[in-house]
Amino acid sequence: MDRIQSILSVAGVGCFALAFVLSAVYPWAITSGTVTEATIAEVAERITPEFVDLAERYPAEFDRAHPGVREALTPQSVLADLGGSGDREAGLAAWREAHAKSLRRGRDIYVAEGCWHCHSQYVRPVSNEDIRFGPVSTWLQDNNALQRPVMWGTRRVGPDLTYEGGLRSNDWHAAHFWEPRNVSPGSVMPRFRWFFEEGFRLSRTIDPSIAERTGLAPETEYPIAGVYLTQADAEAARQRHIDALPSALRAEGERLNVTPARTLNSDGLSLIAYLQWLGTWQPTATSQED
Amino acid sequence: MTTADIPLPDDAAGDDGAVESANIGDLVHKRLIKAHFTFAVVFLLTSMTAGFLVSLNFLNHYPFPDVPWLSSGRLRFLHTNEIAYGFLVNAFVGAMYYAVPRMTGRPVASLKLGWFIFFVWQIIVFSASVGQALGFAQGVEWGETPTGFRPGSFDLQYIPVDLLVAVGALLVAFQFLMPLAKAFNKRLYVTGWYLTSGLIWLILTYVMGNVLPEWGMPGASGAATAGLFIHDLVGLFVTPMGWGLMYFFVPIILRTPMWSHALSVIGFWALAFFYPLNGVHHFLLSSIPMSVQYGAVISTMAVEIVVTTVVVNFFATMWGQGHALRSNLPIRWFYTGMVFYFITCLQCAFHTSLTMQAIIHFTDWVPGHAHLVMLGVFAFWNFGIITWLWPRLTGNEWHSRRLNHWHYWLTLIGLVIMFVDLLAAGVIHGNMLRDLVPWMVIVEAMKPYWGVRTFAGGMILIGQILWAYNLWKTARTPKPYDYRVDLVAQEVN
């Protein structure tokens, strides 16, 4: 290669480099470069009430994903300080770790399932988006490890999810993943049945005489809250129920049944934990100029 | 093995290694080209089938709602990635095996390396799709190829496809840069410039886009880098490859030199300078610093000037030979693509304005635009190239020339319907969004447009199936091809 050619070749790579400096390095230098990125542990520090609620609703699955966490501190006392225990801090640390793990996993599923090709996570200062979705996004709130790679998205088939946390209940999300059209008629969001697993739950029929009086169908199975992963667990729970019944009501025990049911699996739990976290973390750094 | 596959002995080469023009055809490895083209068409079909299936999801008629690895969210990765890495790369590489040795008069680095690249590349594309189906996609648009690492860490959990793509791109570059670099000394045809830079830019772009947003930069700066990646992949790889090959094939088929060499050179350098500066325009009105966003908007508008010079040059080259559009199908593919290229870029110049961004960002306008670029321009050019080369590679006359015309018209009409439909849907969606219309009302309003999109996609898919059938039949049925039937008649003054 003679000199001119070499100069021109360098120029070709130079064009790439110039653009890289101007449109990647420079924005980095004046944003993320000035404030340390928040780690997952930091953004998971505040445990959302919905995360605790997930632990209460899906205890078996929660225990499987985060063994020992519910024993370290009961769900009820995570949110409300029920006083005194010195172990509280240690318990909370276990919860935070479980929360961080769920957020990480939930985000990975959000990426793997392509949610980000139908949902955005960035509110623009135009088109009344702040009225519809919430405050306009800032770079500081995206300056955290859960936005690497960033989930801004490209297309809003479904609504923006920047502030999804707390907007809907866990049950709503579970029902929505099972069949979006059940909760949002006409929705085109795909269903995600593989976030669920076969399990067992307790249900009961009612006393025929009561059924007759109230006009309820006697053969209907009325579910009792809580889902168990194995039939043995469910049978044990049934026995505990029966044992707890006062002797006068022993006959009620006859009508307790173990029936197949579905539970969210740990992927489903993590994804909902992630959705419920979205928009709840506020950066503490104040070096932002505008 | 045919004679065409036998590498040339040294003494057939001229004083500086260049081959006399009489033997130049021997430098072309026809079987290798055929293999690349075959897989290009295979991935074209799978990608378009995936796109068609995903569109059914929007009509609530998705056929496999409960199969995780066939879910519409995951198939969407396959749709874009197989078009980029499966169809376009295979077609470009195949075309380069024809163009580069003929242009430089030198063989590519190694025929063995060629077959090695061929097999490795198909494995890469295949394992990318499998990885995405299994849920290992990476969260970078157009770079969803699995990193293979557990996100945010360096624990291996799957084949590190990103790494393999980078290595593959290096090998491809080595393969073609050998003849290209030697030819640099003598005379420099503009195709050489485009291909050389495109091959080098691909490596840089791919590594940047797949490494930095995942491990380096969070939030806004990561988005800026990802935007740069998306744009460089199209602007610094697909576009230079496409134009480079156009500068090669159009003059050969029309048997006319380019109208202006000066315009070609201006077009090349303006592309090199302005295109990559556009990156951030994928995330306008975002939290990326406004100064960077304005810079991207202005250079996007500047690109339109570049584009005009290139398109003018090509249309001036064709001056007086307009009849070729009727008589020569490859030329028709090429020039239709150029018209779409002009429209796409004109669209860019307008829709990067913040006024239009406010409405059309996050709507179907964007996929409408993307289809015009990827299908209407670059796929059209590759259709033209493959259509022109196929009888020459197989030595067989077309099984049916009629089917080729069906391919053209179904694809063209399908694409125009899809483009107009998605543009309209985008404008309506954007306005409903601004007017605070409830979300489900917007979704319902989009459904008729999504129906039309599926219809148009079906037309396009049928076109490709007919073409693939025709290619297959042509390769299988010996019927000697006489290249003279395809010569463009010269103007009689």
Side-chain angles (χ1 to χ4, degrees):
Chain A
M1 264 196 258
D2 67 22
R3 251 181 81 201
I4 304 228
Q5 315 290 9
S6 326
I7 293 171
L8 290 180
S9 313
V10 172
V13 176
C15 289
F16 177 88
L18 175 72
F20 177 62
V21 169
L22 288 182
S23 32
V25 178
Y26 170 67
W28 175 81
I30 61 175
T31 60
S32 316
T34 60
V35 178
T36 6
E37 168 192 358
T39 62
I40 298 187
E42 279 162 10
V43 300
E45 189 169 321
R46 179 185 165 275
I47 297 163
T48 59
E50 290 80 7
F51 185 66
V52 178
D53 179 67
L54 282 172
E56 288 185 298
R57 270 166 208 271
Y58 304 95
E61 196 51 54
F62 188 88
D63 284 347
R64 193 157 69 166
H66 311 290
V69 171
R70 279 193 322 134
E71 281 89 83
L73 190 67
T74 62
Q76 290 88 334
S77 44
V78 171
L79 296 173
D81 190 345
L82 295 183
S85 151
D87 294 338
R88 189 178 150 76
E89 272 313 309
L92 273 181
W95 274 86
R96 290 199 179 109
E97 204 178 305
H99 192 212
K101 211 171 116 191
S102 295
L103 294 186
R104 171 83 252 174
R105 179 79 191 122
R107 190 207 121 93
D108 294 346
I109 298 164
Y110 189 86
V111 172
E113 299 294 353
C115 311
W116 53 295
H117 282 320
C118 275
H119 290 281
S120 58
Q121 288 187 26
Y122 112 57
V123 181
R124 305 180 304 157
V126 290
S127 277
N128 295 324
E129 290 189 10
D130 50 344
I131 300 177
R132 191 190 280 270
F133 299 124
V136 173
S137 300
T138 65
W139 65 264
L140 265 176
Q141 83 192 40
D142 288 331
N143 195 31
N144 66 69
L146 283 182
Q147 288 291 4
R148 197 144 53 77
V150 74
M151 282 294 106
W152 283 359
T154 55
R155 173 77 180 84
R156 277 188 194 136
V157 179
D160 188 272
L161 297 180
T162 310
Y163 300 102
E164 184 64 19
L167 204 63
R168 312 269 185 182
S169 70
N170 290 334
D171 279 353
W172 189 91
H173 284 298
H176 190 236
F177 285 143
W178 179 256
E179 181 54 86
R181 278 169 286 288
N182 285 351
V183 287
S184 302
S187 176
V188 295
M189 175 158 151
R191 61 194 193 202
F192 293 90
R193 299 267 160 106
W194 50 95
F195 295 160
F196 297 82
E197 216 164 277
E198 298 299 324
F200 297 89
R201 69 169 177 212
L202 298 187
S203 61
R204 52 175 287 219
T205 51
I206 45 175
D207 190 316
S209 62
I210 299 178
E212 206 171 313
R213 245 187 296 123
T214 54
L216 294 169
E219 64 277 11
T220 307
E221 296 274 355
Y222 294 90
I224 294 172
V227 185
Y228 304 88
L229 294 178
T230 64
Q231 187 149 16
D233 286 349
E235 291 294 351
R238 176 170 178 264
Q239 201 51 51
R240 281 200 302 278
H241 261 79
I242 293 173
D243 293 346
L245 285 173
S247 51
L249 288 174
R250 270 289 140 86
E252 283 293 302
E254 305 282 294
R255 281 188 280 277
L256 268 182
N257 297 312
V258 171
T259 45
R262 285 188 195 82
T263 167
L264 279 169
N265 61 19
S266 64
D267 283 357
L269 288 185
S270 304
L271 184 57
I272 294 181
Y274 172 69
L275 291 173
Q276 297 290 21
W277 166 84
L278 285 173
T280 61
W281 175 73
Q282 283 304 320
T284 46
T286 49
S287 76
Q288 199 182 13
E289 254 141 57
D290 43 18
Chain B
M1 233 188 179
T2 62
T3 44
D5 282 325
I6 298 167
L8 225 70
D10 276 341
D11 56 3
D15 50 341
D16 60 342
V19 175
E20 297 303 318
S21 58
N23 300 330
I24 217 156
D26 297 347
L27 293 172
V28 173
H29 304 309
K30 288 188 179 169
R31 284 178 59 211
L32 193 51
I33 304 179
K34 263 192 290 182
H36 273 291
F37 283 173
T38 307
F39 271 81
V41 175
V42 167
F43 286 127
L44 174 74
L45 290 181
T46 47
S47 161
M48 283 195 176
T49 309
F52 182 75
L53 288 177
V54 174
S55 84
L56 292 178
N57 174 66
F58 288 77
L59 307 177
N60 291 338
H61 278 299
Y62 192 66
F64 322 104
D66 296 329
V67 188
W69 54 275
L70 271 180
S71 72
S72 65
R74 299 187 196 178
L75 270 195
R76 187 209 186 269
F77 303 140
L78 188 150
H79 175 56
T80 54
N81 285 208
E82 283 199 355
I83 274 296
Y85 305 109
F87 170 65
L88 285 181
V89 171
N90 265 320
F92 281 147
V93 169
M96 277 196 289
Y97 276 116
Y98 185 84
V100 170
R102 283 188 156 253
M103 183 179 62
T104 60
R106 287 174 185 76
V108 291
S110 150
L111 177 58
K112 280 212 185 89
L113 177 66
W115 282 108
F116 179 72
I117 294 175
F118 168 74
F119 286 113
V120 169
W121 195 263
Q122 314 318 321
I123 293 171
I124 290 175
V125 177
F126 186 71
S127 49
S129 299
V130 170
Q132 289 157 356
L134 295 178
F136 297 123
Q138 187 188 11
V140 178
E141 205 179 10
W142 287 103
E144 292 99 343
T145 43
T147 60
F149 297 102
R150 204 170 293 286
S153 76
F154 289 102
D155 317 335
L156 210 57
Q157 63 170 174
Y158 184 70
I159 305 165
V161 178
D162 278 355
L163 198 70
L164 293 183
V165 174
V167 174
L170 260 172
L171 292 180
V172 173
F174 174 75
Q175 177 79 315
F176 292 106
L177 287 185
M178 290 300 279
L180 281 169
K182 284 193 200 135
F184 260 38
N185 291 335
K186 280 195 121 181
R187 56 197 173 268
L188 188 63
Y189 184 57
V190 65
T191 299
W193 275 112
Y194 274 113
L195 299 187
T196 309
S197 344
L199 290 168
I200 295 173
W201 283 330
L202 172 65
I203 305 168
L204 297 173
T205 301
Y206 194 82
V207 171
M208 171 189 77
N210 282 277
V211 172
L212 288 181
E214 180 79 43
W215 283 287
M217 299 160 153
S221 55
T225 315
L228 186 63
F229 165 70
I230 302 173
H231 204 78
D232 279 359
L233 196 65
V234 179
L236 291 188
F237 171 64
V238 178
T239 308
M241 291 290 134
W243 279 120
L245 293 169
M246 283 305 100
Y247 277 110
F248 178 80
F249 282 103
V250 167
I252 284 189
I253 299 179
L254 289 180
R255 293 189 288 157
T256 324
M258 287 306 298
W259 182 61
S260 156
H261 186 61
L263 272 190
S264 321
V265 174
I266 293 175
F268 172 78
W269 282 106
L271 170 134
F273 185 75
F274 285 117
Y275 251 88
L277 292 175
N278 293 2
V280 171
H281 76 195
H282 292 261
F283 294 113
L284 291 176
L285 293 168
S286 68
S287 56
I288 296 172
M290 269 331 267
S291 53
V292 182
Q293 297 187 35
Y294 286 131
V297 172
I298 291 165
S299 46
T300 306
M301 293 176 177
V303 165
E304 181 56 19
I305 299 166
V306 184
V307 165
T308 311
T309 63
V310 178
V311 172
V312 163
N313 199 4
F314 272 90
F315 275 83
T317 302
M318 190 160 68
W319 198 255
Q321 296 200 69
H323 53 83
L325 286 177
R326 226 175 330 109
S327 63
N328 191 295
L329 190 56
I331 285 291
R332 201 193 304 158
W333 277 120
F334 294 163
Y335 277 82
T336 316
M338 287 177 210
V339 171
F340 284 152
Y341 186 75
F342 188 78
I343 297 175
T344 324
C345 294
L346 192 63
Q347 224 193 343
C348 288
F350 284 99
H351 74 198
T352 46
S353 66
L354 298 187
T355 327
M356 271 191 84
Q357 273 300 304
I359 299 298
I360 58 102
H361 193 70
F362 285 135
T363 71
D364 273 334
W365 178 290
V366 181
H369 173 73
H371 278 94
L372 195 69
V373 187
M374 294 304 271
L375 175 60
V377 183
F378 301 111
F380 272 33
W381 289 350
N382 281 312
F383 294 159
I385 292 173
I386 298 177
T387 302
W388 192 71
L389 280 178
W390 198 251
R392 288 170 173 75
L393 295 173
T394 58
N396 293 341
E397 172 56 41
W398 282 105
H399 165 68
S400 158
R401 283 174 179 260
R402 253 191 131 166
L403 277 185
N404 281 347
H405 286 269
W406 275 98
H407 176 216
Y408 176 83
W409 287 110
L410 281 173
T411 315
L412 177 70
I413 296 171
L415 175 67
V416 170
I417 296 177
M418 183 184 287
F419 177 66
V420 173
D421 174 62
L422 289 180
L423 249 50
V427 173
I428 293 168
H429 184 161
N431 280 287
M432 290 176 101
L433 181 86
R434 185 199 55 197
D435 297 345
L436 295 175
V437 175
W439 200 267
M440 283 317 297
V441 179
I442 302 182
V443 172
E444 289 298 339
M446 289 299 107
K447 282 184 180 171
Y449 296 91
W450 290 336
V452 173
R453 181 212 7 223
T454 301
F455 169 76
M459 270 176 89
I460 297 171
L461 181 60
I462 291 172
Q464 312 316 311
I465 293 172
L466 295 180
W467 186 51
Y469 171 77
N470 201 15
L471 291 170
W472 186 69
K473 271 294 205 187
T474 304
R476 282 320 200 69
T477 330
K479 184 165 47 156
Y481 171 67
D482 181 354
Y483 70 91
R484 282 168 302 187
V485 298
D486 278 333
L487 288 186
V488 173
Q490 292 292 316
E491 194 185 2
V492 188
N493 286 318

